[in-house]
Every structure is written in C-alpha cells, then in structure tokens.
Amino acid sequence: MCGIVAAVAGRNVVPVLLEGLRKLEYRGYDSAGLAVLNGCPSALLRLRSVGRVAELTAQADACSAAGGTGIAHTRWATHGVPSERNAHPHLSGGLAVVHNGIIENHEALRESLKAVGYVFTSDTDTEVVAHLVELKLRTIPDLFETVRAALGDLQGAYALAVMREDDASRIIVAREGSPLLLGMGEDGHYAASDASALLQVTRRMVYLENGDCAEITRAGLRIVRGDGTPVVRAVVESQLSADAVELGTYAHYMQKEIFEQPDALANTLEMVGNARSLQPGLFGADAEAVLGGARQILILACGTSWHAGLVARYWLEAIAGISCSVEIASEYRYRDSVPDAETLVVTISQSGETADTLAALQHAKGLGMQRTLAICNVPESSLVRETALRFITRAGPEIGVASTKAFTTQLAALYLLTLVMAKLRGRLDAATEVQELKALRHVPAAVQKVLALEPEIKAWAQLFSHKQHTLFLGRGRHYPIALEGALKLKEISYIHAEAYPAGELKHGPLALVDKEMPVIAVAPNDALLEKLKSNLQEVRARGGELFVFADADSEMVESEGIHVLRLPEHYGALSALLHVVPLQLLSYHVALVKGTDVDKPRNLAKSVTVE
Ligand code: G6P
C-alpha cells in the first residue's frame, strides 16, 4: 500500500508530484506529503497533510512550493496512526525518505539508532530508514552506495525513494517486494509505484525487479543489483490510456467501473470474438502442456478475487470434472498443506501486487508446484512475471477501492479456463463448445440489460440506509455472489453484512432474523431455486423482510415483506456474472444515500502490498 512518486527534472516538479499522488491515492489516503529541493545550495522544503492530496496541493500553492528534485507519498497507515507526524517524507539530517511497504525489523533498528543518539519524531517503521541512511552517510559519502549499504540491514518489503539536501542532482530508489518503476521523460527521470502516476510526463517505463537499487538524475538512470552489479532493464512503452484513469461524466470511479462492465467484458473476451473453437494458447505458449497435465487445481487469491475463485470452483468441478480447492492466500502461505506437484496453481488478482497472493504463489512454487497461472488485470505486474502462464483481463484501470469490473472480467477469464480444461479433458464436444462460445459472446449485452435496472435498485437503496445489519443468501455458485454482495455493502456503506449459503440459515443465522434484518437473496432460476424458496419462507416466517434478485422466468411473487426484482435474462452457468451486478449497484446507491466516500472507503486501500 502507499504510493510514492519521485522526480528529478529540468522544471518545477511539484505539479508532477501532486498529480502523481492524485493518481496513486487508490493505494492509500490516510495522509499525503512531499519534499522538494530548490536553489543552490539547495534548501529542503517538506509539506505534509492528514487530508487528501487536494489539501496538500492547497498547502503547496499557499507557499509557492517549487523545486527540480522531489519525492512524494500518499499513505495507508500500518505503523502509527494517520497523523501529520507519521506522514511521509521522514527526515534525518538533510535526508528525506518516502517508503511503501513494511520494515519488519524496525524495532531492533530503532533501538540501535536511539542508542547512538537519533531522536524519533514518528511512530512509523519508515523513520528508521532515514536515520539508518544518515548514519551510514557519515562513513560512506556517496548517497547511492550508502542507500545500498543500508538496504542490507533492512528486512521486510519496501519501495523507497531517498534524496539529500546537499545534492539536488539525484534521487536513489530501491525495490524489494513492493512495486516500483522508473519513467524516462524528455526533461528528466521519474519513479513511481505505478505507471498511471507518470503518464503525465512519459510513456517510457522501466520496471524494477526485487533487489534492484537505482539512481535517477536529470540526464539518466543507473540500476544495480543488491551486490552492486550493474543491470539493464527493458524500456517498456506503457499501453495505459491516460483517459482510462479519468472520471469523465461519472460521479464516482465505482459508478464508472460498474457501467464499464459490458466493454470490459467485451475486451476481455475479444480473443474468442470470432472463434469457433477454444485454444489453450489463450493462457500462454505452453498452456496445452501445463494445463493438460494438471491433476487438480488450487486457486489462491484475496478479497473479491477470492470470491471469483470460489465461483470458478463450481464451474471447474462441474464442467471440467477437475478437483479444485480455493484458498485465501494469507491462510495458505502459513499453513502446512499436502502438496501435489501436478497441481495447477491459479492466482487471481486485479492488481498483481497483492503481497499475500504473491507470497502464496512463492510458497506453492517452493512446495514443488510449477504449473502456475496468473489471472490478472495489470500486464506489467509482479504476479504476471512469476507464473508460467497468464491471462490478462482487459478491464482497464480500476480505481474505486471496491472491485467491480475486475471481478466480472475475472469470472469471464475463469469460465474460459473451465472450458479449455474441459476440452483438454475430453469433456466438451464440438457442438457444446460452439454454444458455450456463443453464450460467452452474449455476456456483455446481457450485463448491459442488467444495468438498466438501476432505477429500481436505487429505490431499494433508500430502504437500507438506516439499517445496521444485512444478511445475503445464495446457493451453489451464487453463494460466492452473495459473499461478494455482502463485501461490497460493508466496504462502502459500512453496514454490517454477512453472507450465508441459504441452506445454512437454520444452523445459526436464522436467530438474527427479525423485522429489522433485511435479507437479500440471490435467486436465479436454477436447480436450487425451489430449495432456496423454502429457505426464504423460513425468513419470512420470522418477520424478516426479503429482497430477492430473481430471473425473468422465475415464479417469484411479490407480496408483503417480499420485494422481487427480475433480471432480464436467465443465463445458466454464467448467471453468476449477471447476478453480481445488481448487488454492486445496490451497495453503490446505499453508500450514496449514506454519504460515505464511495471510492475511498475508510481504513481501506486498493492495492494491498503489505501482509
Ligand atoms: C483489496 C481491495 C479489494 C481486492 C483485494 C485483492 O482488499 O480493496 O477490492 O479484492 O485487495 O486485490 P487484488 O488486486 O489481488 O485482486
């Protein structure tokens, strides 16, 4: 989490730093800060704010902050409460440091630095880096060498940028476990946590690897490995469209991203646009061998991406006939499991930078599982570089913290995987393959029709805004959709929401049901509908108010205490993709009624690059 930007250029970099932070706010927004060097000899100016980047911008304007060399940071608090004293950059002597990640041995370092006289002014782990570099600078006068030496004492994850008051010509950056890239501009060089922050100045990016340390100056850049060996990293022309990260006519990114789903799905499915048959090559050059030889599947992910994996398990077992387990990455990486080398490990991640998912993948590989696939929305991400196979969802940048279009495009990718696995295992005849492809191609249009239900959903939202708790129910592959609906509601409206497989209701949660507890049911017209209806009666009999998302052809009737909204189509195996959309819209509108910060809900961040 946290976002960093750094710039050394032949112009005032303050506007570049601020614009970069604005693009990185999705990574955390507990505080923002910057430091710039100006003049000769250079004077260091530091500004910090517990508010958003807009407040930092106002501060910078008020004092006409300017300088050709600068670093900046937007924070997601891990060590120390959100406050000005804990906001980055942190200083030591004439040094300024910004950091994304966690220094795990910060307590031991803090004690040893205090023992030699350093006084700490924050509760952060980052401040030890500033003092450590300052200490080493006394014996190693070159900043690049000093930072490299200091890195040897750090344990944990970091992306760092360090600059020094008496040398405005350079900034030193380093990466270990947290994303960092360099930008090559016309008039200078830059660094940032992701490409969106630098599109304003360049499209030419250099992605650093873990263990890299680099020096950026106005004229160039220099990268070395941990042992000091120089290394050249490829220059990549970013394909990210600058428009894609603009809000346009929408009120919020979440709204924009919900409504972008038909296009996001069409783009993701473009590769099967005209196809009459499915090719394993969709997942990479070696896919036929890697997928075909898999004996079972293990899906690893976090948050919404984990929910996508849970839906996929129903598909993979029922359609492809392959055993599949789905684990929360942060649990898997720390438990003793029974590895099977012929397992296909599927990691799912919007960002491709989620620390737990990356670590779970490493753990699985360490246990001997080399058949690995990433389903990811960011082609340049760390995750994609670490798996044998990859499928890039083409949702476009997702800025809203609550994931929407990333989820539905992940589902589309996972359905493609299911069909490819089914085909490789001889469970998909040619006629069914053609039908399945046709059904997939219709998904964007089907989602478009669901979006047209917004006015009715908006009306329902009014009924939820004063509620404290909500239950979501689903069965089969729609149980994970209920989980996702509950996650969306709690994330952005702060209403406590729980999801249950409807059959579990009588084993506990029914005790919670009374007239104050609205119950939302995901009720597609599938084989489990009759059973679900019985579960809903159990709720109604206890006075619970039901909100049912049914299909066009379901016999669900509105009556007192039972509200029914019908989706335009009944969509078989793919209906999970449709049924999540009204739940996204409902959360969005409840949040609007409650007046919460939809795109930046409290305490959360989009890209969780710490454990
Ligand atoms: C955070 C985000 C969620 C996301 C999860 C996993 O918690 O707020 O929306 O689902 O991280 O992120 P990933 O990028 O790995 O999908």
Short mmCIF file of all heavy atoms in Angstrom, two decimals, residues 1 301-306 348-355 357 383 398 400-404 406 410 484 487-488 491 604-608, ligand 1:
data_model
loop_
_atom_site.label_atom_id
_atom_site.label_comp_id
_atom_site.label_asym_id
_atom_site.label_seq_id
_atom_site.Cartn_x
_atom_site.Cartn_y
_atom_site.Cartn_z
N MET A 1 0.85 -1.15 0.00
CA MET A 1 0.00 0.00 0.00
C MET A 1 0.89 1.22 0.00
O MET A 1 2.07 1.09 -0.03
CB MET A 1 -0.85 0.02 1.25
CG MET A 1 -1.07 -1.32 1.77
SD MET A 1 -2.45 -2.01 1.04
CE MET A 1 -3.69 -1.44 2.08
N ALA A 301 -6.03 -16.47 -3.80
CA ALA A 301 -6.40 -15.06 -4.03
C ALA A 301 -6.85 -14.42 -2.72
O ALA A 301 -6.96 -15.11 -1.69
CB ALA A 301 -7.52 -14.98 -5.07
N CYS A 302 -7.14 -13.13 -2.77
CA CYS A 302 -7.63 -12.38 -1.60
C CYS A 302 -8.87 -11.57 -2.01
O CYS A 302 -9.00 -11.19 -3.17
CB CYS A 302 -6.60 -11.37 -1.12
SG CYS A 302 -5.02 -12.06 -0.70
N GLY A 303 -9.70 -11.27 -1.04
CA GLY A 303 -10.81 -10.33 -1.23
C GLY A 303 -11.75 -10.75 -2.34
O GLY A 303 -12.15 -11.91 -2.46
N THR A 304 -12.09 -9.78 -3.17
CA THR A 304 -13.02 -10.03 -4.26
C THR A 304 -12.47 -11.08 -5.22
O THR A 304 -13.21 -11.92 -5.74
CB THR A 304 -13.29 -8.69 -4.99
OG1 THR A 304 -14.10 -7.90 -4.13
CG2 THR A 304 -14.00 -8.87 -6.30
N SER A 305 -11.17 -11.07 -5.43
CA SER A 305 -10.56 -12.06 -6.33
C SER A 305 -10.75 -13.48 -5.79
O SER A 305 -10.92 -14.43 -6.55
CB SER A 305 -9.07 -11.77 -6.51
OG SER A 305 -8.90 -10.51 -7.10
N TRP A 306 -10.76 -13.60 -4.47
CA TRP A 306 -11.03 -14.90 -3.85
C TRP A 306 -12.46 -15.34 -4.15
O TRP A 306 -12.73 -16.51 -4.44
CB TRP A 306 -10.77 -14.80 -2.33
CG TRP A 306 -11.08 -16.05 -1.57
CD1 TRP A 306 -10.47 -17.27 -1.69
CD2 TRP A 306 -12.09 -16.20 -0.57
NE1 TRP A 306 -11.05 -18.16 -0.82
CE2 TRP A 306 -12.03 -17.54 -0.11
CE3 TRP A 306 -13.04 -15.34 0.00
CZ2 TRP A 306 -12.89 -18.03 0.88
CZ3 TRP A 306 -13.87 -15.84 0.99
CH2 TRP A 306 -13.81 -17.17 1.42
N ILE A 348 -5.30 -15.35 -8.67
CA ILE A 348 -6.20 -14.35 -9.26
C ILE A 348 -5.97 -13.03 -8.53
O ILE A 348 -5.99 -12.98 -7.30
CB ILE A 348 -7.68 -14.74 -9.08
CG1 ILE A 348 -7.92 -16.19 -9.53
CG2 ILE A 348 -8.61 -13.79 -9.84
CD1 ILE A 348 -9.32 -16.70 -9.19
N SER A 349 -5.75 -11.96 -9.29
CA SER A 349 -5.52 -10.67 -8.65
C SER A 349 -5.78 -9.54 -9.64
O SER A 349 -5.31 -9.60 -10.78
CB SER A 349 -4.05 -10.60 -8.18
OG SER A 349 -3.75 -9.32 -7.69
N GLN A 350 -6.53 -8.57 -9.21
CA GLN A 350 -6.73 -7.39 -10.06
C GLN A 350 -5.39 -6.70 -10.28
O GLN A 350 -4.97 -6.47 -11.41
CB GLN A 350 -7.72 -6.43 -9.39
CG GLN A 350 -8.17 -5.24 -10.21
CD GLN A 350 -7.14 -4.13 -10.36
OE1 GLN A 350 -6.83 -3.72 -11.49
NE2 GLN A 350 -6.57 -3.66 -9.28
N SER A 351 -4.72 -6.38 -9.18
CA SER A 351 -3.51 -5.55 -9.25
C SER A 351 -2.26 -6.33 -9.63
O SER A 351 -1.33 -5.77 -10.20
CB SER A 351 -3.26 -4.91 -7.88
OG SER A 351 -3.05 -5.94 -6.92
N GLY A 352 -2.21 -7.60 -9.24
CA GLY A 352 -0.99 -8.38 -9.43
C GLY A 352 0.10 -7.97 -8.46
O GLY A 352 1.26 -8.36 -8.61
N GLU A 353 -0.25 -7.18 -7.45
CA GLU A 353 0.75 -6.73 -6.48
C GLU A 353 0.36 -7.08 -5.05
O GLU A 353 1.03 -6.65 -4.11
CB GLU A 353 0.96 -5.20 -6.57
CG GLU A 353 1.41 -4.69 -7.92
CD GLU A 353 2.81 -5.16 -8.33
OE1 GLU A 353 3.53 -5.75 -7.50
OE2 GLU A 353 3.16 -4.96 -9.52
N THR A 354 -0.72 -7.82 -4.86
CA THR A 354 -1.17 -8.13 -3.51
C THR A 354 -0.13 -9.02 -2.83
O THR A 354 0.17 -10.12 -3.30
CB THR A 354 -2.55 -8.81 -3.57
OG1 THR A 354 -3.44 -7.90 -4.20
CG2 THR A 354 -3.07 -9.14 -2.18
N ALA A 355 0.41 -8.52 -1.72
CA ALA A 355 1.56 -9.19 -1.10
C ALA A 355 1.25 -10.63 -0.73
O ALA A 355 2.06 -11.53 -0.95
CB ALA A 355 1.99 -8.40 0.14
N THR A 357 -0.96 -12.70 -2.00
CA THR A 357 -1.13 -13.57 -3.17
C THR A 357 0.23 -13.90 -3.77
O THR A 357 0.50 -15.06 -4.13
CB THR A 357 -2.05 -12.87 -4.20
OG1 THR A 357 -3.26 -12.50 -3.53
CG2 THR A 357 -2.38 -13.78 -5.36
N LEU A 383 2.99 -10.26 -10.28
CA LEU A 383 2.39 -11.60 -10.35
C LEU A 383 2.56 -12.22 -11.73
O LEU A 383 2.94 -13.38 -11.86
CB LEU A 383 0.89 -11.50 -9.99
CG LEU A 383 0.17 -12.82 -9.80
CD1 LEU A 383 0.65 -13.52 -8.53
CD2 LEU A 383 -1.34 -12.62 -9.72
N GLU A 398 -8.68 -0.05 -12.72
CA GLU A 398 -9.79 0.01 -11.74
C GLU A 398 -9.30 0.87 -10.59
O GLU A 398 -8.31 0.54 -9.95
CB GLU A 398 -10.15 -1.40 -11.28
CG GLU A 398 -11.48 -1.43 -10.54
CD GLU A 398 -11.82 -2.82 -10.03
OE1 GLU A 398 -11.08 -3.35 -9.18
OE2 GLU A 398 -12.84 -3.37 -10.46
N GLY A 400 -11.66 2.64 -8.18
CA GLY A 400 -12.50 2.52 -6.98
C GLY A 400 -11.96 1.39 -6.11
O GLY A 400 -11.60 0.33 -6.62
N VAL A 401 -11.90 1.65 -4.80
CA VAL A 401 -11.35 0.61 -3.92
C VAL A 401 -12.20 -0.66 -3.97
O VAL A 401 -11.68 -1.77 -3.96
CB VAL A 401 -11.22 1.17 -2.48
CG1 VAL A 401 -11.01 0.05 -1.47
CG2 VAL A 401 -10.05 2.14 -2.41
N ALA A 402 -13.52 -0.50 -4.04
CA ALA A 402 -14.39 -1.68 -4.14
C ALA A 402 -14.34 -2.21 -5.57
O ALA A 402 -14.70 -1.53 -6.51
CB ALA A 402 -15.81 -1.29 -3.75
N SER A 403 -13.88 -3.43 -5.71
CA SER A 403 -13.66 -4.00 -7.03
C SER A 403 -14.98 -4.40 -7.70
O SER A 403 -15.84 -5.00 -7.08
CB SER A 403 -12.77 -5.24 -6.86
OG SER A 403 -12.44 -5.77 -8.11
N THR A 404 -15.13 -4.04 -8.96
CA THR A 404 -16.37 -4.38 -9.69
C THR A 404 -16.04 -5.00 -11.04
O THR A 404 -16.19 -6.20 -11.24
CB THR A 404 -17.26 -3.12 -9.87
OG1 THR A 404 -16.45 -2.08 -10.47
CG2 THR A 404 -17.83 -2.64 -8.56
N ALA A 406 -13.24 -5.59 -12.35
CA ALA A 406 -12.17 -6.60 -12.27
C ALA A 406 -12.79 -7.96 -11.97
O ALA A 406 -12.38 -8.98 -12.52
CB ALA A 406 -11.16 -6.21 -11.21
N GLN A 410 -12.66 -11.22 -14.28
CA GLN A 410 -12.00 -12.42 -13.74
C GLN A 410 -12.91 -13.64 -13.96
O GLN A 410 -12.44 -14.72 -14.33
CB GLN A 410 -11.74 -12.27 -12.24
CG GLN A 410 -10.59 -11.35 -11.90
CD GLN A 410 -10.57 -10.96 -10.43
OE1 GLN A 410 -11.50 -11.24 -9.66
NE2 GLN A 410 -9.50 -10.31 -10.01
N GLU A 484 -19.85 -11.79 -2.21
CA GLU A 484 -19.34 -10.59 -2.86
C GLU A 484 -20.29 -9.41 -2.62
O GLU A 484 -19.84 -8.28 -2.38
CB GLU A 484 -19.14 -10.87 -4.36
CG GLU A 484 -18.71 -9.69 -5.21
CD GLU A 484 -17.38 -9.05 -4.81
OE1 GLU A 484 -16.67 -9.58 -3.96
OE2 GLU A 484 -17.09 -7.97 -5.35
N LEU A 487 -19.69 -8.20 0.86
CA LEU A 487 -18.41 -7.47 0.95
C LEU A 487 -18.57 -6.05 0.40
O LEU A 487 -18.11 -5.07 1.01
CB LEU A 487 -17.32 -8.24 0.18
CG LEU A 487 -15.95 -7.57 0.14
CD1 LEU A 487 -15.34 -7.46 1.54
CD2 LEU A 487 -14.99 -8.35 -0.76
N LYS A 488 -19.24 -5.94 -0.75
CA LYS A 488 -19.43 -4.61 -1.35
C LYS A 488 -20.17 -3.71 -0.38
O LYS A 488 -19.80 -2.56 -0.18
CB LYS A 488 -20.24 -4.69 -2.66
CG LYS A 488 -19.57 -5.30 -3.85
CD LYS A 488 -18.52 -4.44 -4.50
CE LYS A 488 -17.17 -4.63 -3.93
NZ LYS A 488 -16.34 -5.72 -4.33
N GLU A 491 -17.98 -2.75 2.66
CA GLU A 491 -16.84 -1.91 2.27
C GLU A 491 -17.23 -0.44 2.10
O GLU A 491 -16.53 0.44 2.55
CB GLU A 491 -16.30 -2.36 0.90
CG GLU A 491 -15.26 -3.44 0.92
CD GLU A 491 -14.80 -3.81 -0.48
OE1 GLU A 491 -15.65 -3.95 -1.39
OE2 GLU A 491 -13.61 -3.96 -0.68
N LEU A 604 -9.45 1.52 4.19
CA LEU A 604 -9.10 0.54 3.14
C LEU A 604 -8.13 1.14 2.14
O LEU A 604 -7.86 2.32 2.14
CB LEU A 604 -10.37 0.08 2.42
CG LEU A 604 -11.42 -0.60 3.29
CD1 LEU A 604 -12.60 -1.01 2.44
CD2 LEU A 604 -10.84 -1.80 4.01
N ALA A 605 -7.63 0.29 1.27
CA ALA A 605 -6.82 0.74 0.14
C ALA A 605 -7.03 -0.25 -0.98
O ALA A 605 -7.47 -1.38 -0.76
CB ALA A 605 -5.35 0.81 0.51
N LYS A 606 -6.72 0.18 -2.16
CA LYS A 606 -6.99 -0.65 -3.33
C LYS A 606 -5.99 -1.78 -3.48
O LYS A 606 -6.34 -2.92 -3.75
CB LYS A 606 -6.95 0.26 -4.57
CG LYS A 606 -7.17 -0.45 -5.88
CD LYS A 606 -8.63 -0.52 -6.17
CE LYS A 606 -8.96 -1.33 -7.38
NZ LYS A 606 -10.21 -2.06 -7.17
N SER A 607 -4.74 -1.43 -3.36
CA SER A 607 -3.70 -2.40 -3.67
C SER A 607 -2.96 -2.72 -2.38
O SER A 607 -2.30 -1.85 -1.82
CB SER A 607 -2.78 -1.78 -4.72
OG SER A 607 -1.89 -2.73 -5.19
N VAL A 608 -3.11 -3.95 -1.89
CA VAL A 608 -2.62 -4.26 -0.55
C VAL A 608 -1.24 -4.91 -0.67
O VAL A 608 -1.11 -6.13 -0.72
CB VAL A 608 -3.62 -5.15 0.21
CG1 VAL A 608 -3.17 -5.36 1.64
CG2 VAL A 608 -4.99 -4.48 0.21
C1 G6P B 1 -8.06 -5.08 -1.58
C2 G6P B 1 -9.10 -4.44 -2.44
C3 G6P B 1 -10.10 -5.48 -2.92
C4 G6P B 1 -9.37 -6.60 -3.64
C5 G6P B 1 -8.28 -7.21 -2.76
C6 G6P B 1 -7.40 -8.16 -3.56
O1 G6P B 1 -8.63 -5.53 -0.40
O2 G6P B 1 -9.78 -3.42 -1.73
O3 G6P B 1 -11.02 -4.88 -3.80
O4 G6P B 1 -10.28 -7.60 -4.00
O5 G6P B 1 -7.43 -6.18 -2.26
O6 G6P B 1 -6.71 -7.41 -4.53
P1 G6P B 1 -6.17 -7.97 -5.88
O7 G6P B 1 -5.53 -6.80 -6.55
O8 G6P B 1 -5.17 -9.04 -5.53
O9 G6P B 1 -7.31 -8.53 -6.64
#
